[in-house]
Amino acid sequence: MHKFTFLTGLVLTLGLASATQARQATVPELPVLQVKDSLKVFTDSIEFIPVETDELIQDRLSCLEQEIPLEFNKQVRGLIDYFTIRNRKYTKRVLDRQPLYFPMFEKYLAKHGMPDELKYLAVVESALLPKAVSSAKAVGLWQFMTPTANDFRLVQNHYLDERMDPEKSTEAACKFLKQLHRMFGSWEMALAAYNCGPGNVKKAIARSGGKKTFWGIYPYLPKETRSYVPSFTALVYTLNHAQDHNLRAANPQLPIALDTLLISQPLDLKLLALQLNLPEDQIANLNPALKLKHIPENVTNFPLRIPADVRPFLAENRLAVLDSARYKSPVRKKTPTIAPLAPTTMLAKAEPVVKDTAGKETNPTAKSYYTVRRGDNLSKIAQAQNVTVAQLKSWNKISGNTLVAQQKLVVFKPGTPGELNGSLKTDSLVENTLLASAEEPGTAVGKTSGPNAEGMPKEGAAMAVVTPKKTPAKKAAIIEKPKVHHVQPGDTLWNISKRYNNVSVEQLRKANKLKGDELKPGMKLIVG
């Protein structure tokens, strides 16, 4: 999972000095007093900044060390000075958020039997911001890239991104770190692999001559990863000894008791908060995985987090509150009607003519719904409903390929031009459906062309009904081709191999004639 985290990006951009340089850069002209082996630095705002000796910091680290080694060296000292002297505002903001997330991290780490100190890794990754997005498009408290998030079933679609869900992303992070620890046998190595991917760690081991410790492979790791584990060690020290460095939370965020409300209607989160006499952004902040400020249509049993203390009021006034908070979609302008070609007595209220993926006209008929089951994907549903993947995506405004169990999909049944009920299937539609089913699950068919490229029925259209002569149906040909994976940023041969029925990395190399493990976004890999 190669990514550029908030913290390491900031550290690398500003540059890290040694302990001596940090002291000189921070207090160039301020009076310094020696008090019991500690330097007390007085700033213009009367706040003093202790600058402790190497011996004292090393002793404190040794007392904190549990299952994960906390090695003290020049790099760690420079980072400790960065968090306690040069960027105190950052550390104070983290201290504000710590009470909100650390108890939850501790709960999941205990559940998986993992070291408690791994909770500090989320600080390195995101500074405890659930909506954090890095320059490499890693998202959430634990900075998951899309491919790794898919491996751990974190849902991402047009309205939801579970990488930003604190509970679900923490569970996924625990599973991933546990997997990496089994692979490398060391928590320091697991942390390095979490940052740059298992492939880069294995390369560093090979280049080092087979060394299996973080500091043994340190010179051969990517530049960012070299500061990653030292940053972890420095933050473990800083957050445990914040008060010794005169660092305190200014506005601590405390957790509140929560309840869950199952929602099966479009709902405006701001309106709901106002109906419950809450700050207008509170419900949105309690549900950071929602990408929108509302729950859209066709979503069933969405577990919305609400403050527990509003539950009694909601129980008594549920219908009125939810009705008042119903989300209303923006009004769309109607498409101009087509001029009639026959007297109004001969007109039928027909659906508009649209074109399928082959460019042939079809008439969508009755609107129906399909409820997504576990194991479903867009290609499978499209084949079962005799439509294309592109039409399913446009009808339901789906930008990606991820579906949620119990999600309701709008389906318009296709037909032939001019036929009143649209019951006869066109050859092109059958062919496109078969082609879509031959693709890798979740792969979209190309967009349609013509006046209504989305395949969505236009409102208010009327046309003369003319029954054309039926043409003999052509035999639909199923074109079989190998499964192909399009490489995305953050992909590695290892996580691709896990996603496709555990095909081995070696098989991927041979099938694609790869000499090494390096992948570039946009590459096409044969995976089956």
Side-chain angles (χ1 to χ4, degrees):
M1 183 167 63
H2 183 46
K3 56 190 183 305
F4 202 72
T5 62
F6 273 11
L7 174 61
T8 49
L10 186 62
V11 169
L12 289 173
T13 302
L14 296 176
L16 296 174
S18 66
T20 303
Q21 290 170 328
R23 283 191 287 270
Q24 291 173 348
T26 307
V27 287
E29 299 176 356
L30 298 176
V32 177
L33 301 175
Q34 185 76 29
V35 181
K36 294 183 181 180
D37 297 326
S38 296
L39 296 176
K40 306 296 181 182
V41 181
F42 292 88
T43 65
D44 295 335
S45 61
I46 311 179
E47 180 187 42
F48 66 90
I49 305 174
V51 184
E52 311 291 17
T53 63
D54 286 353
E55 292 76 18
L56 181 57
I57 291 176
Q58 189 168 9
D59 181 61
R60 287 173 177 172
L61 273 175
S62 65
C63 294
L64 292 173
E65 185 175 308
Q66 298 176 40
E67 197 169 336
I68 301 177
L70 300 175
E71 183 164 336
F72 180 79
N73 54 33
K74 186 178 179 179
Q75 289 90 339
V76 172
R77 176 65 206 238
L79 282 157
I80 288 173
D81 286 342
Y82 175 79
F83 294 124
T84 60
I85 300 173
R86 297 169 61 193
N87 200 351
R88 291 169 65 83
K89 288 183 179 179
Y90 167 88
T91 306
K92 289 177 182 178
R93 289 195 296 268
V94 170
L95 288 169
D96 283 345
R97 302 173 195 129
Q98 181 177 324
L100 188 60
Y101 294 109
F102 272 24
M104 185 261 292
F105 295 160
E106 290 163 5
K107 177 183 74 174
Y108 280 98
L109 289 167
K111 172 185 171 182
H112 288 275
M114 298 168 69
D116 181 80
E117 56 266 42
L118 285 172
K119 63 191 176 190
Y120 298 99
L121 186 63
V123 183
V124 181
E125 288 290 338
S126 64
L128 301 183
L129 292 169
K131 287 183 174 284
V133 180
S134 76
S135 59
K137 306 302 180 186
V139 175
L141 286 169
W142 297 93
Q143 291 290 280
F144 276 101
M145 298 287 284
T146 294
T148 313
N150 290 338
D151 290 343
F152 291 94
R153 298 182 179 180
L154 292 176
V155 175
Q156 301 156 74
N157 56 34
H158 69 290
Y159 78 94
L160 186 69
D161 189 341
E162 289 185 343
R163 294 179 294 175
M164 296 187 288
D165 185 297
E167 302 254 356
K168 292 184 178 179
S169 65
T170 299
E171 178 87 49
C174 288
K175 290 178 180 177
F176 188 33
L177 284 164
K178 206 170 185 179
Q179 195 177 88
L180 294 172
H181 182 257
R182 283 196 300 267
M183 187 181 298
F184 294 105
S186 154
W187 284 115
E188 285 183 305
M189 296 287 272
L191 296 182
Y194 190 92
N195 177 250
C196 67
N200 282 320
V201 172
K202 288 178 180 177
K203 284 180 187 176
I205 291 172
R207 290 171 185 166
S208 70
K211 294 178 181 177
K212 297 290 182 71
T213 66
F214 173 79
W215 295 104
I217 66 171
Y218 177 86
Y220 307 98
L221 288 167
K223 185 178 180 181
E224 181 202 350
T225 309
R226 282 181 236 160
S227 67
Y228 189 75
V229 172
S231 294
F232 172 82
T233 302
L235 280 165
V236 171
Y237 170 85
T238 301
L239 296 180
N240 278 280
H241 287 278
Q243 292 191 9
D244 293 322
H245 291 266
N246 196 27
L247 289 164
R248 291 172 180 82
N251 300 293
Q253 300 176 21
L254 301 174
I256 63 172
L258 298 177
D259 205 338
T260 300
L261 182 65
L262 296 179
I263 300 295
S264 298
Q265 69 168 63
L267 193 70
D268 189 311
L269 302 185
K270 180 179 176 180
L271 288 179
L272 179 62
L274 295 176
Q275 289 291 322
L276 297 174
N277 199 27
L278 298 170
E280 64 180 38
D281 290 330
Q282 184 170 3
I283 292 181
N285 292 337
L286 291 176
N287 297 272
L290 281 169
K291 294 159 70 174
L292 309 173
K293 294 292 185 180
H294 65 270
I295 297 173
E297 290 184 280
N298 306 327
V299 175
T300 305
N301 290 333
F302 179 82
L304 186 72
R305 295 187 183 105
I306 59 172
D309 58 7
V310 304
R311 188 69 193 220
F313 173 78
L314 193 57
E316 292 180 6
N317 304 278
R318 181 185 176 98
L319 291 177
V321 169
L322 294 185
D323 186 59
S324 300
R326 184 177 291 273
Y327 176 73
K328 297 176 182 178
S329 302
V331 179
R332 296 180 182 177
K333 292 182 179 179
K334 291 187 176 182
T335 306
T337 57
I338 302 172
L341 301 177
T344 54
T345 54
M346 298 177 62
L347 287 177
K349 192 174 182 181
E351 297 285 348
V353 174
V354 296
K355 293 186 179 181
D356 63 17
T357 52
K360 294 187 178 182
E361 293 180 353
T362 63
N363 284 336
T365 59
K367 177 179 177 181
S368 61
Y369 293 95
Y370 176 83
T371 303
V372 177
R373 303 184 184 93
R374 287 190 179 277
D376 276 352
N377 56 58
L378 287 172
S379 294
K380 180 179 176 182
I381 296 170
Q383 184 178 10
Q385 298 295 320
N386 270 338
V387 295
T388 65
V389 172
Q391 287 173 323
L392 278 178
K393 292 176 82 170
S394 69
W395 292 338
N396 294 278
K397 299 180 182 178
I398 297 173
S399 56
N401 297 313
T402 306
L403 298 176
V404 183
Q406 301 303 316
Q407 179 179 350
K408 286 188 178 180
L409 299 181
V410 176
V411 178
F412 292 94
K413 296 295 184 180
T416 55
E419 190 164 7
L420 281 171
N421 296 319
S423 57
L424 183 64
K425 301 167 190 172
T426 60
D427 300 333
S428 59
L429 182 61
V430 174
E431 183 176 349
N432 278 300
T433 303
L434 292 171
L435 283 172
S437 67
E439 293 284 346
E440 172 196 344
T443 303
V445 178
K447 290 184 178 178
T448 57
S449 59
N452 190 354
E454 290 184 348
M456 181 72 76
K458 298 179 182 177
E459 297 180 12
M463 59 175 286
V465 179
V466 181
T467 305
K469 294 181 181 179
K470 296 180 181 178
T471 55
K474 298 177 184 177
K475 292 182 179 179
I478 299 176
I479 301 175
E480 293 185 4
K481 52 184 177 180
K483 257 185 198 176
V484 175
H485 173 79
H486 295 262
V487 176
Q488 304 296 318
D491 271 353
T492 64
L493 287 177
W494 180 78
N495 66 28
I496 293 171
S497 72
K498 296 295 179 187
R499 205 172 313 142
Y500 294 96
N501 298 323
N502 288 320
V503 58
S504 71
V505 172
E506 190 59 35
Q507 287 173 321
L508 285 175
R509 285 200 199 98
K510 286 182 180 178
N512 296 278
K513 299 179 180 177
L514 298 175
K515 294 182 179 179
D517 294 335
E518 185 177 355
L519 300 177
K520 294 181 180 179
M523 287 176 65
K524 295 180 181 179
L525 296 183
I526 296 172
V527 294

